[in-house]
Structure formats: structure tokens, C-alpha cells
Amino acid sequence: MRIIETNKLNLRYNNRQILSDVSLTLKSGRITTLIGPNGAGKSSAFRILAGLVKPEKGTVRLDDIQLQSFEELRNHCGYLLESPDFYSYLSGKENLELLIQISKSKTDSEKLLQLVGLQNEGNKKVQHYSRGMKQRLGFAQVLINDPDFLILDEPFNGLDPEVKTQMLAQLVTLKNEGKGILVSTHLLEDMETIADDFVLLNKGRVYLKSNMEDNLNEKQKVVLHFSKSVKNLKQYYPENLFENNKIILMATISETEALLNDLYKQNFIPFRISRSSILHDKYMEITNESAN
Amino acid sequence: MNRLIKIEIFKLLKRTRTYLSIGLMVILVALIFWGLKSQGESALDYALQTLNRDFLVSGNILNGYLAIYVILNTLWIHIPILIVIVTADLFSSELESGTIRLILTRPLGRSYYLMSKYISSIIFVIIFMTIWAIISVLPAMLLFGKGDLIVIFEGLQIVEEKELFTKFFNAFLFAILGMSTFAVFSVSVSVFTRRSLNAILVTLGFLVISTLLQTMAPTIFKGWESFLITHHLAKWQFLFYSNPANSEVLSSTIWLVIFSAVCILASLFRFRKLKITE
């Protein structure tokens, strides 16, 4: 298993502390999601990992080997930094081929374009691309040289729901192929379905580290929505809260599964189930704090 | 490095600005030919009025070589402007558009990246100047024919036809060096100014002020003129002396090389510290 570990990253800019002691770990075969409100320092952390910005303090290790600089990571990582900027006067294919040459790679540009669904748009100049198309091209260039780690800052920006779903599926495929993936996004719900580890960043500090296993074993608020009244069920489940056509409970995943099995037997099938997560709650906590 | 240079040349060839610059140069040369063809004889008669009083001037004075010599005078201002609009933008356009971030997230050193910009700017100058030479020499010979060259530069200079090919060839080589230095200077300026427009304005401002200082106050700047790039750019004229001032040309060649090296070193140092994420 390959691992990238950053230790206590600190970054100051214009007398403002952007990052304070941020430590991140990326493991092959796992998706780590970096979340946080705007200005939390996510993009700065990504720029450090790409070697574009030098941290004031902090080190990085790759597979237990201390690297001299973050620039050394570039041989092992593919980067997508926010909205990618391409040469507008070149076609999508030409842009990819140019990056392939710089990377001394033998990757086939056509295959990459096909992977992101741009095979019919490859010869179009990038100046005629929509934001979503640029984002897809950005995702394609990440895969040049088949890197072990993918570092993706807001990769779903500007994507329509269909393409977003395809990209989420693509990330799972890449994870299953053994790639370590770091993603920053605001799409908590989507990432909760595919990510393994979560890092919540606030005001340049790590506010919370969690993983999917923890999340599943935590008692969380679950809301079951029904199309008919569930008042009659109150007598069987007195510990839960009944509200019109909803049952609201605090439960782990296995407890929720047990309750659902029970309800199915009584022919009460919820049309929608929502479960909050620690991550979501903490994220909302931070957002509300910032708003106040 | 070869790979990077090829990529830079590919990008140059794909940009409209490159063709705009070459197109303007073609128009400029065509206008000079048109002017010489339509009014060259009368202008030359006027210029040689005094000379005709004391000498019997015979033969084809308004010949192809004189036409090329006139075109060489565009090296003062016109050609540098046309080169700078392309080269000053090579680096800063990448900063402005953000493509530099895309490139530098690849396993690639900053110094290599910047050096490829310098080398490609010099290659552009060589291509540009070669086209300039071809479209100057061929039509000049076809339209005006051959003959000795008479020029008034620090006195009357008469250069025999048999010597002219070598002299013009050397002048073109020196022009390539001069314009390459100017291109290198413009790329370096763009590393400091970050913006293409600023880099173009600063470089052209430097050219204009330097030329003005050199022509308006030669006595004040005596001894200091070596530090004015335009002083050296004009040294191609010394090749047309009856007895060529080779040492002057050689000295300017060395100055231009030193000037380029200083520019490159300064901007490499600056680029290592440059924030490219703003």
C-alpha cells in the first residue's frame, strides 16, 4: 500500500495564517474527502501538495520516505486544481497531447477523451468548451501517466448531474484499481456514498477527522418518510418520535436496518430515508458559526 | 528540454499574434518597396544634389542593395516592436490565463520551463528575421537590380558590389543577435511585470527612451552609451564602412550577449520565488 503523509503544514500569506498544523494522509485504494467552508484553506493545502506553494513549515513523506520538497510528489500524483485553465487557442486533444509530452508519457489522448465523454469534442478549440467540458478535460489530464494518487480540488464544479454521477462512479473505479484519491468538495451527500475518510477543515485547522466506519457505527438522526400515517406504530416504538408521516429516531446503521426489516413485515415501507452524519452536523455547525 | 522547446514552438505557431506580427512585417517591407519604386529616384536626386556638384555619379544608385539597406533601418524601432508583441506575451500570457499552473503541476522544473520560453523566443526571432531577409532580398533584386552601394553614414561610404553579399549577410546575423537580445529582454520584463500589456509597454518604453537618450544627448551619455541596448542594436551600420569597424561590432556582440545573460539570470532568480497561484 502506498501512502502520502503530510505533517503539520503551516502557511502564512500577507500576515494571515492560512493553514495551521494541517496533517493529511492519503492511502492507495481509499478516497479521502477534504471538506470545509469557503476560505477554510482547502485550496491552499492542494496547492502545497502540487508544489505550487511552499509551506512555511511542514513535511511530507511518501511510503515512509521523507521527501525534500512537495514538488517530488508530482511524479506520483495527478492534479486537478479548481477550475483548470487550458490553452484556449488549442483543441482539447492538443491540450492533452501537450501535457502528455511534458509528462514524457505514452498515454493515448483519445482514450482519455473517451473516458471523460469528450471523444466527439476533442478537436474543438477549448475556447468553445463549456465550464463542465473544461472540468472533464481537467479530469482527463489528471490521468496522464497513470498516477498512483489523484488530487482533485472541486472536481464537480460546473458538471451537470448526469456527468457528476458518471464522475463519481469513475472515482470508485479508480479507487478499486488501487489509486489513492483526495477530493475537496461541497457535495457532502455524494461523497458520503463513496468516500472512506473525511477531513473537515475550518479556518486553516483540521476540525474533525472521521471515516466511513466511524460514521456507520455512530448513532445519528434518521428520518423515515412514509406516504401514509404511521401514528398506529407509535405503540410499538415508543422511544421514537412520530411526526405526521415521519418517524424520527437516533440509531446506528444496524439499528436502522433492524427497524426497517420490522416495518417491512408490517407493510410499512418508507419512500425516503435520510440519515444525517457527524460530518454533516459538524459542517453545518461551522457554517452556522461563520454565518453568525 | 528539446521536448519543451518543441511544445513552445507548437504553441507559437498556433497563436494569431504570431501571424499578425509577421503579416505586419510583410506590409512594412512592401510599403518601403512601394515608396522606393514610386519616389525613390527623386528622393535620391535630392539627397545627392551636393554630391553631383563635385562628382560624376554614374550607374544604378537606386539598386536592390540600397533598398535592403533602407529596410535594415527598420531595425531601429519597427522590427523590435513587431517582435516584442509576440515575445513579451510568451510568459505572461501563461500567468494571466493560469495555464502555468497546469504545466507546473507536471514533473517539470521551473528553470527548464523558463529557459524553454527564452529559447523559443530566440527561435521565433530567427524565423521572423529569416522571413524578413527573404522578402527583402528577393524582391529588392528583382525590382531594383544590382549595383554598388552608396550610403551616407559618418561620411560618404561607397561599397563595391562584390563585397555586399558578405556585408549584408553579416548585418542580418548581427540583426538576429540584436533582436534576440531584445526578445530575451522582453521575456525577462514579463517575468517581473506579470502582465503582457505591461511587459510590452515597459519594453517599448525602454526602447524609445534608450533611443532618445542616445540621439538627443550623445555628449551627456558619452562613456555610458554601452549600457544602452539601442547603442549596440545599431552597430550593424558599422559593417558598411569602407574599412569595417570589426572591433566595434565585436564589442557590441559581447555586450549584447552579456546583457541577455544578465536578463536571463535575473528572471530565473525572480521566477523561483514568483507566486503563480495569484
Side-chain angles (χ1 to χ4, degrees):
Chain A
M1 178 188 275
R2 306 209 69 186
I3 301 181
I4 293 176
E5 286 173 292
T6 70
N7 186 34
K8 295 193 172 176
L9 297 182
N10 280 268
L11 181 70
R12 272 182 86 78
Y13 185 64
N14 285 348
N15 288 328
R16 200 164 73 87
Q17 195 69 35
I18 309 291
L19 295 175
S20 305
D21 294 335
V22 172
S23 298
L24 298 169
T25 305
L26 266 98
K27 292 178 184 166
S28 53
R30 286 183 83 82
I31 297 177
T32 304
T33 303
L34 191 61
I35 52 171
N38 290 336
K42 302 187 296 291
S43 292
S44 298
F46 277 75
R47 285 167 184 171
I48 290 175
L49 286 169
L52 295 179
V53 172
K54 279 196 177 118
E56 194 186 13
K57 275 189 229 162
T59 54
V60 61
R61 296 172 77 86
L62 175 67
D63 303 334
D64 285 334
I65 298 164
Q66 182 88 42
L67 301 183
Q68 295 302 310
S69 76
F70 282 84
E71 288 173 19
E72 289 178 49
L73 280 179
R74 291 179 191 162
N75 292 313
H76 311 274
C77 300
Y79 301 91
L80 175 64
L81 300 181
E82 288 175 88
S83 13
D85 300 298
F86 290 96
Y87 296 98
S88 56
Y89 52 90
L90 299 181
S91 70
K93 191 177 174 202
E94 285 170 336
N95 267 286
L96 278 183
E97 281 171 354
L98 183 146
L99 293 168
I100 287 170
Q101 281 188 47
I102 290 177
S103 311
K104 298 177 187 171
S105 167
K106 289 194 167 65
T107 315
D108 182 359
S109 60
E110 292 283 356
K111 270 188 189 166
L112 289 180
L113 286 168
Q114 203 163 6
L115 202 71
V116 294
L118 286 176
Q119 64 274 23
N120 297 325
E121 320 285 344
N123 292 321
K124 223 189 232 183
K125 283 191 177 172
V126 167
Q127 64 198 19
H128 303 302
Y129 275 26
S130 67
R131 195 174 170 197
M133 284 161 78
K134 282 185 198 165
Q135 203 70 11
R136 279 146 75 186
L137 190 63
F139 189 65
Q141 63 84 28
V142 169
L143 300 171
I144 293 173
N145 247 359
D146 193 23
D148 292 328
F149 295 96
L150 311 182
I151 294 180
L152 315 170
D153 191 9
E154 303 283 0
F156 310 110
N157 271 357
L159 296 183
D160 58 54
E162 191 191 343
V163 181
K164 189 186 78 183
T165 311
Q166 285 169 8
M167 268 189 60
L168 285 166
Q170 197 91 61
L171 287 185
V172 176
T173 310
L174 290 163
K175 170 187 131 171
N176 293 337
E177 284 172 7
K179 310 240 180 265
I181 303 170
L182 177 67
V183 188
S184 91
T185 179
H186 290 101
L187 305 175
L188 285 186
E189 284 179 18
D190 290 315
M191 289 315 292
E192 276 180 328
T193 60
I194 64 163
D196 303 286
D197 301 298
F198 300 92
V199 179
L200 182 50
L201 216 56
N202 186 36
K203 293 175 185 165
R205 289 182 181 278
V206 174
Y207 192 78
L208 177 83
K209 275 188 181 180
S210 157
N211 58 44
M212 194 42 97
E213 293 80 18
D214 291 345
N215 202 14
L216 294 179
N217 295 327
E218 280 288 331
K219 273 190 194 286
Q220 282 299 308
K221 183 179 169 185
V222 180
V223 183
L224 309 175
H225 301 257
F226 296 87
S227 55
K228 55 186 177 185
S229 173
V230 285
K231 276 185 183 165
N232 298 342
L233 294 171
K234 201 170 182 177
Q235 53 185 314
Y236 303 112
Y237 310 105
E239 68 279 16
N240 297 333
L241 181 67
F242 284 73
E243 201 178 86
N244 299 329
N245 295 356
K246 286 190 278 186
I247 302 178
I248 302 163
L249 61 149
M250 293 295 288
T252 63
I253 288 285
S254 53
E255 285 167 349
T256 311
E257 278 172 354
L259 175 66
L260 284 171
N261 277 333
D262 227 25
L263 289 170
Y264 286 149
K265 281 175 198 161
Q266 298 176 63
N267 211 19
F268 276 92
I269 302 167
F271 67 84
R272 186 169 164 229
I273 304 164
S274 57
R275 182 177 192 271
S276 68
S277 65
I278 308 174
L279 207 65
H280 183 266
D281 294 347
K282 292 284 179 192
Y283 184 83
M284 292 314 292
E285 209 174 286
I286 291 171
T287 316
N288 291 338
E289 264 175 32
S290 307
N292 296 331
Chain B
M1 182 62 102
N2 281 348
R3 206 182 287 256
L4 275 178
I5 295 165
K6 273 185 201 165
I7 290 169
E8 287 304 325
I9 298 295
F10 172 72
K11 287 193 288 191
L12 256 175
L13 295 177
K14 283 279 182 176
R15 301 187 68 182
T16 318
R17 199 178 279 236
T18 308
Y19 298 99
L20 184 75
S21 159
I22 293 172
L24 286 171
M25 179 258 283
V26 173
I27 292 171
L28 180 71
V29 171
L31 281 174
I32 292 171
F33 280 135
W34 177 71
L36 283 173
K37 197 73 191 165
S38 59
Q39 293 181 21
E41 288 288 354
S42 51
L44 207 61
D45 285 345
Y46 180 75
L48 296 176
Q49 261 177 4
T50 332
L51 201 67
N52 280 331
R53 262 184 248 143
D54 305 318
F55 296 97
L56 177 65
V57 181
S58 67
N60 180 16
I61 297 174
L62 179 58
N63 56 42
Y65 291 117
L66 183 66
I68 301 168
Y69 189 85
V70 172
I71 291 170
L72 273 170
N73 277 282
T74 56
L75 284 171
W76 284 90
I77 297 282
H78 305 84
I79 297 297
I81 290 175
L82 296 177
I83 285 174
V84 163
I85 58 172
V86 174
T87 54
D89 190 50
L90 280 180
F91 174 81
S92 43
S93 65
E94 302 241 10
L95 261 182
E96 282 178 319
S97 67
T99 45
I100 194 168
R101 290 190 286 274
L102 190 71
I103 299 292
L104 290 182
T105 51
R106 299 277 141 202
L108 172 72
R110 284 193 179 201
S111 309
Y112 279 99
Y113 171 76
L114 190 55
M115 279 313 293
S116 72
K117 293 282 180 197
Y118 279 117
I119 294 169
S120 56
S121 73
I122 292 169
I123 292 172
F124 168 72
V125 169
I126 293 169
I127 295 169
F128 185 96
M129 299 300 280
T130 306
I131 297 172
W132 182 65
I134 292 168
I135 64 159
S136 303
V137 173
L138 294 180
M141 290 304 154
L142 288 171
L143 288 170
F144 300 100
K146 292 179 178 179
D148 293 341
L149 176 70
I150 298 182
V151 287
I152 299 167
F153 172 63
E154 297 190 1
L156 185 69
Q157 311 288 333
I158 302 169
V159 191
E160 282 186 61
E161 189 186 331
K162 62 181 179 190
E163 295 172 33
L164 282 171
F165 177 79
T166 319
K167 284 185 187 293
F168 274 110
F169 184 74
N170 290 340
F172 273 117
L173 286 184
F174 189 81
I176 288 177
L177 173 71
M179 293 303 112
S180 298
T181 307
F182 215 71
V184 164
F185 177 66
S186 68
V187 174
S188 304
V189 169
S190 72
V191 175
F192 287 86
T193 60
R194 301 180 69 108
R195 301 266 167 219
S196 302
L197 186 61
N198 293 353
I200 292 171
L201 291 176
V202 170
T203 312
L204 294 182
F206 178 79
L207 173 76
V208 170
I209 290 168
S210 181
T211 309
L212 276 176
L213 289 176
Q214 193 189 329
T215 49
M216 285 174 69
T219 46
I220 300 170
F221 286 94
K222 193 123 187 97
W224 289 90
E225 68 267 73
S226 294
F227 296 100
L228 296 173
I229 188 172
T230 46
H231 169 76
H232 302 291
L233 291 181
K235 284 292 174 67
W236 59 269
Q237 290 173 308
F238 284 69
L239 292 164
F240 291 93
Y241 274 6
S242 307
N243 294 312
N246 287 334
S247 61
E248 284 276 349
V249 178
L250 183 68
S251 144
S252 282
T253 302
I254 294 167
W255 270 104
L256 289 173
V257 171
I258 292 172
F259 190 81
S260 301
V262 170
C263 286
I264 292 172
L265 288 173
S267 51
L268 278 174
F269 181 75
R270 164 77 178 148
F271 186 43
R272 283 178 63 189
K273 310 264 177 198
L274 193 72
K275 284 196 170 67
I276 57 166
T277 51
E278 285 170 358

